[in-house]
Amino acid sequence: MPSDVVRVIYRKYDGSAHRDYPARRLTEDDLGVWLGVPAGTESVYHGRPSVEQIPFVLLVPHHGWWTGMFNPPPRTSEVYCDIATPAGWEGDDTVHLIDLDLDVVRRRATGVVELRDEDEFAEHRARFGYPDEVVAEAEAAARWLFRALGDGTEPFATSYRKWLALVV
């Protein structure tokens, strides 16, 4: 039986710490593993202790080069997707991801979809030596997410709301 608590560990390509926090396993379906993070969850962000002020749900896809964070108000991003390497699971209770800098975000107020941090991606690509296949996968994931967040593709339209309701 899978653990109820999953430790989510994001690192940068050079191995440096990015984000680290516990999440509650909500369910697993054909899309991936849905994790809930309530407000007040202690976390680490860029190596510094932090506390999550706004709850969210994280979807870790089974085979995608991304993760999806689904947010309630007052967060201005309704959906925030990190481009990352496919999840590496350590048992049922720890998931490892490498953040590849690019983000695809849908704004709550306007529904506008944005591709963010292209400059950071280019900088880290050169500094850390991202292999061509990693670059191609990251860019393909960003293009797919940009379309999917804008055209009503699930789970980005409404299906995430039932999971978000469990942590709000």
Side-chain angles (χ1 to χ4, degrees):
M1 178 163 204
S3 172
D4 286 343
V5 177
V6 173
R7 182 175 173 199
V8 179
I9 302 171
Y10 285 91
R11 296 199 172 278
K12 288 296 190 174
Y13 199 81
D14 68 346
S16 62
H18 183 51
R19 294 190 76 194
D20 187 333
Y21 54 87
R24 183 168 49 102
R25 181 185 300 270
L26 301 174
T27 194
E28 184 170 349
D29 61 19
D30 59 326
L31 297 169
V33 179
W34 293 86
L35 304 171
V37 180
T41 298
E42 293 183 7
S43 63
V44 177
Y45 187 64
H46 292 291
R48 296 187 195 115
S50 183
V51 176
E52 298 298 331
Q53 301 299 310
I54 300 171
F56 63 91
V57 167
L58 183 74
L59 172 59
V60 179
H62 292 300
H63 304 291
W65 282 71
W66 56 275
T67 58
M69 187 168 85
F70 301 89
N71 305 303
R75 195 163 274 158
T76 59
S77 60
E78 180 181 13
V79 182
Y80 194 107
C81 294
D82 285 298
I83 304 302
T85 58
W89 286 90
E90 185 180 329
D92 288 327
D93 61 356
T94 305
V95 61
H96 296 272
L97 301 136
I98 297 174
D99 180 270
L100 295 171
D101 316 309
L102 293 172
D103 304 304
V104 182
V105 179
R106 185 172 67 218
R107 295 289 164 203
R108 180 177 314 286
T110 62
V112 168
V113 177
E114 303 169 352
L115 176 61
R116 300 188 57 203
D117 298 331
E118 291 172 283
D119 54 342
E120 184 181 353
F121 180 72
E123 177 188 327
H124 286 173
R125 177 183 183 183
R127 183 188 310 162
F128 303 144
Y130 293 173
D132 290 342
E133 66 187 48
V134 168
V135 171
E137 292 287 358
E139 290 174 340
R143 283 190 304 273
W144 181 81
L145 285 165
F146 194 87
R147 285 189 306 275
L149 267 67
D151 71 6
T153 297
E154 291 294 0
F156 307 109
T158 61
S159 66
Y160 69 88
R161 292 180 183 156
K162 64 185 170 193
W163 307 119
L164 187 56
L166 296 176
V167 297
V168 174

